[in-house]
Amino acid sequence: MFDLSINGRTRRVDVEPDTPLLWVLRDTLGMTGTKYGCGIAQCGACTVLMDGQAMRSCQVTVDSVGSAKVETIEAVEADATGRKVVEAWVAAQVPQCGYCQSGQVMAATALLRSTPKPSDDDIASAMTNLCRCGTYNAIAAAVRRAAA
Amino acid sequence: MDPMPHHPAAPVGAPTLSRRRLLGSAAGALVLGVALPGRAVRAEAQGPAEGAGAIAPKPGTRVPAFLEIRPDGTVRFLSPFVEGGQGIATGMAQIVGEELDVDPARFLVECAPPGPDYAVVNGIRMTGGSFSTRSSYALMRQLGATARDMLLRAAAARLKVREAELTTRDGTVIHAASGRSLAYGALATDAMALKPNEAASLRPPETFRYIGRPVARIDVRDKSTGRAVYAIDQAVEGMLYAAVAHAPHPGTEPVGIDNEATVRAMPGVHSVHRLPGAVAVAADSWWRARKAVEALSVRWSRPKPTGLDTVAADFSSDGLLAALKASAEAGHVAEAEGDAGAAFAGAAKVIEAEYAAPYLAHAQLEPPSAIARVNGDGTLDVWLPNQMPELFQAVSAKVAGVEPDKVRLHSPMLGGFFGRHFIYENGNPFPQAILLAKATGRPVKVLWSREEEFARDGLRPLSFSRFRAALDAAGHPTAIEARTVGEGPIGRYFGVLMKTPVDPSAVEGIVEKPYAIPNRRMTFTKVAHPVTIAFWRSVGHSMNDAFYESFLDEVAQAGGHDPFDLRVALLKDKPRHLRLLREVADLAGGWKRGPYEAEGGKRARGVALASPFGSETATIAEVSVAEGEARVHNLWIAFDPGSVVNPAIVKAQVESAAALGTSSVLFEQVVYRDGVRQSQNFDTYPILRREHMPAVHVRIVESGAPMGGVGEPGLPGVPPAILNAVAALTGQRVRTLPIANTRLAGA
Ligand code: FES
Ligand code: FES
């Protein structure tokens, strides 16, 4: 039994301690905005924020979450920075298939909270999620727009 | 026969009678149209009451099958096509909205269920071949106009005025003379009961407000907030989650499980199953199912030790390539013009080169899944990613042992596809979901882990072509020959229906090139792969244009000509291509090959043309080399699809295709060794990451030629432009893809 703080609410889940947070979110709690792409920390589709830090939730076991505050894409618009990021994503028309974009938006939100005026290098080192549709240039443009 | 056929999903075209019977001829009619998209489907070939000939309504005309105008002013549009990133949902909303007179932003677009109304691609239905917009543009305009006409007539009756006194404005019918107006939503019920007038007049194109404009995509907000729902996100009441482990060697079977009882006792486990070529665990969550299936100790049957008729224990991609090269079988003529033999005999110079491309995975970011539910009334519901609903419905029915009309098929949005979601032998999870739903009596969702997906994805075929060219004393090509050996997906899956032994998907990009080389002889020799092959974004063009356009640069070099100038010379009677060459050079700030200094390093450029899917492209790539690896800085692409519906979506699609082209030529390959694929996940199948993404500059040229495709054509020019730039910079001609296999000389 684990009590998790997710999007400001406490959620009690009854799963094995080594269950990845990703699958707790998706299957136990039905929060499917966070995506599964690889399960091995390669793609970033599963990115959530833990105490404000972008984390690949497929690599975070539920027993390691502790009291960390987890934020997922479902609550991104409850946050001022998150809202700015979403608006920039819409304005720059970033998504194609969209499957990677929950993770991209969360990674950008974490970046802009800690670094409101990121340099190109900051963007390059924070935005490492894969996009098979090749929206990388649009993502960079949207991050700059959200930072402006 | 095995009650659970090993290839329950084998499409027509697989050469055995039993497989054809498995699918039935209705699906045959469907695939016929895919195989021969330019020709009308001939129902006679399928028997009188089957296939497309049995379709009652004229596809694309019955307004209520497509449109639901809601009281709140929104319009629900049931689309013949599935959205997977290409923007077709928005494109349809623009085309229909233009004529219906409703802002596309108020459209809600869903993929329609199976049904004859939606067979709008030359009498069949699929999302692929870059066919969607060009095949349905006229029909969907007319559909919108027909619906608007019905609304006008309903309003005329309601207001008791003549129809001619009425106009519309964005979802409202207006009677200017009396100042009265009626919202579409209030008229919909009356309107839909009227007989459609299929000759309802269309808007003059010069008054278009949506078509031809960079209208915002209707799905970006949902996709930016996690609200978009893909197959993997769906759930139904009472559902079990299933994870599978496939046989390590495709074609082998589970013969025993040593620890079934132990695994059945693991947390959340419902049951353990043997499936054709796989084992599965059903559980109350996918993670528990996956852990359990991975804990199974399975004994598998042995693969054949050797040979190329199956994926044998010693099968390797190197071995297959060697077999393609070694084939001495005469080729079937794919293109012949003039007298190549005489031209070679009289040549001042002859050059020859061999090109090869590897197997490629689709690597769409959403792993495939499917939900199946067997209902109490004998019907079946399936939710699955697919590019061809009626075919999946027919195959689902066969697997379940019910009639197709008992299958309700749901087609959610795709998390990328690139050709992934056709039916590929053992490459789709839905037959497993159906078998498990029947075995457990519960709805079952099967999700393939990324590792299982890399093990069973259908692959872009490994390919090989040998080229020869004859040059005259001035260094101009007088003849070109190509011998292509291998297999393409059209031959594999629709070969029964092909009229010639030449597989178009194996030679496209090598034949029908625009260059004025008077003597040509291109052949195709079939050598079947034991591997499950697939359509992959731009299909044969994805490697063949790389081969041809690279070899053309070799011809230029051998003849002492600049590759751009040689192309101009060979296209002097092709104004559409010449213009694109001029446009792309202009976009790139003028043609220069290099090497030249830029930003503290040496760079060079390459150029390539391609004519895929009814569109034309000219591409220039700029590369540098660092630590033996190519780096692509810029891609300039002039793109002529004839005319466009949404220039912003077209540009985004060209950039997306360019990214995939860059990724494939630089990094991608599925290698077989000892009968096993060596890629299991993105760590062992590197795809383009952000740091390798070039700047992409796209110029759309609307020549007014018949509308061509958009989703795929941006790709084929990119690999050869990069290869040609690498050759210009390093002097190394990479003829075996990907470039990562060659250590490049520092420059
Ligand atoms: S699913 Fe977590 S990084 Fe890919
Ligand atoms: S938008 Fe499709 S994977 Fe990124």
Side-chain angles (χ1 to χ4, degrees), chain B residues 148-150 152-157 161-167 197:
Chain B
R148 178 175 172 271
D149 175 75
M150 290 156 83
L152 282 171
R153 283 188 281 141
V161 298
R162 283 185 305 116
E163 214 186 304
E165 296 167 36
L166 297 171
T167 56
N197 167 16

Side-chain angles (χ1 to χ4, degrees), chain A residues 112-125:
Chain A
L112 293 177
R113 273 203 215 155
S114 63
T115 315
K117 299 280 170 223
S119 65
D120 284 357
D121 283 350
D122 293 332
I123 295 176
S125 59

Side-chain angles (χ1 to χ4, degrees), chain B residues 6-145:
Chain B
H6 179 225
H7 293 301
V12 160
T16 67
L17 237 185
S18 63
R19 286 189 197 166
R20 270 156 75 190
R21 216 181 282 130
L22 195 62
L23 247 186
S25 49
L30 295 170
V31 296
L32 175 62
V34 182
L36 308 165
R39 304 177 202 182
V41 174
R42 295 189 63 80
E44 299 83 11
Q46 304 300 325
E50 294 173 316
I55 288 169
K58 194 167 143 217
T61 59
R62 221 161 49 85
V63 172
F66 290 85
L67 286 169
E68 180 194 338
I69 296 164
R70 295 173 159 181
D72 65 358
T74 59
V75 174
R76 176 168 175 253
F77 177 71
L78 290 175
S79 175
F81 307 108
V82 66
E83 174 64 49
Q86 78 279 43
I88 194 62
T90 304
M92 287 290 119
Q94 284 178 261
I95 297 166
V96 176
E98 184 72 66
E99 297 291 349
L100 180 62
D101 202 0
V102 172
D103 189 331
R106 288 208 310 285
F107 273 68
L108 195 90
V109 178
E110 291 166 26
C111 187
D117 285 295
Y118 310 107
V120 299
V121 182
N122 298 317
I124 63 119
R125 177 176 181 197
M126 65 157 179
T127 306
S130 296
F131 271 118
S132 302
T133 306
R134 54 180 165 142
S135 65
S136 67
Y137 178 76
L139 264 179
M140 292 298 111
R141 270 186 76 193
Q142 188 60 56
L143 184 87

Side-chain angles (χ1 to χ4, degrees), chain B residues 41 74 111 169 176 188 191 219 221 278 359 458 508 568 606 608 622 682:
Chain B
V41 174
T74 59
C111 187
R169 193 171 62 226
D219 51 5
R221 187 169 292 276
Y359 291 117
E508 61 191 4
V568 170
E622 179 185 55
F682 290 114

Side-chain angles (χ1 to χ4, degrees), chain B residues 359-376:
Chain B
Y359 291 117
L360 295 183
H362 294 92
Q364 79 294 342
L365 207 56
E366 180 195 8
S369 62
I371 300 175
R373 183 180 66 200
V374 180
N375 303 303

Side-chain angles (χ1 to χ4, degrees), chain B residues 287-322:
Chain B
W287 181 253
R288 284 172 162 169
R290 182 179 181 182
K291 279 188 69 173
V293 84
E294 288 179 350
L296 285 174
S297 165
V298 185
R299 277 171 285 117
W300 301 94
S301 64
R302 310 289 312 156
K304 276 198 190 175
T306 193
L308 288 179
D309 56 331
T310 65
V311 180
D314 69 348
F315 179 76
S316 70
S317 30
D318 284 349
L320 187 88
L321 178 57

Side-chain angles (χ1 to χ4, degrees), chain A residues 22 35-47 56-59, chain B residues 682:
Chain A
L22 169 65
K35 301 303 186 202
Y36 165 61
C38 69
I40 60 161
Q42 286 284 313
C43 74
C46 63
T47 304
R56 295 188 166 175
S57 65
C58 69
Q59 300 302 302
Chain B
F682 290 114

Side-chain angles (χ1 to χ4, degrees), chain A residues 14-16 18-20 23 26-28 32-43 45 56 58 73-77 85-87 89-91 93-102 105 120 123-125 127-140 144, chain B residues 83-86 215-217 219-221 223-228 230 232-233 241 267 285-288 290-291 361-367 413-416 418 445 447-451 536 652-653 655-656 659-660 663 668 681-683 685 687-690 693-696:
Chain A
D14 185 8
V15 295
E16 288 72 70
D18 64 349
T19 307
W23 295 105
R26 288 186 57 82
D27 288 358
T28 313
T32 55
T34 305
K35 301 303 186 202
Y36 165 61
C38 69
I40 60 161
Q42 286 284 313
C43 74
R56 295 188 166 175
C58 69
I73 187 74
E74 280 84 2
V76 72
E77 288 174 294
V85 170
V86 168
E87 290 314 317
W89 246 245
V90 172
Q93 296 276 296
V94 173
Q96 297 238 342
C97 86
Y99 193 77
C100 72
Q101 300 296 343
S102 294
V105 164
D120 284 357
I123 295 176
S125 59
M127 301 300 292
T128 57
N129 292 359
L130 295 178
C131 175
R132 186 55 161 167
C133 302
T135 64
Y136 298 116
N137 294 334
I139 287 171
R144 275 183 225 110
Chain B
E83 174 64 49
Q86 78 279 43
V215 168
R217 288 181 57 139
D219 51 5
V220 291
R221 187 169 292 276
K223 287 176 173 177
S224 304
T225 51
R227 286 197 289 265
Y230 304 85
I232 196 174
D233 302 325
Y241 295 82
S285 83
W286 186 74
W287 181 253
R288 284 172 162 169
R290 182 179 181 182
K291 279 188 69 173
H362 294 92
Q364 79 294 342
L365 207 56
E366 180 195 8
M413 187 181 281
L414 306 174
F418 323 119
K445 175 181 188 169
L447 164 62
W448 284 2
S449 67
R450 177 58 65 187
E451 289 79 5
W536 192 94
Q653 276 294 289
E655 180 157 340
S656 166
L660 203 57
S663 185
E668 292 183 34
N681 206 320
F682 290 114
D683 53 346
Y685 189 85
I687 64 170
L688 191 79
R689 312 181 75 89
R690 210 188 96 77
M693 180 75 191
V696 182

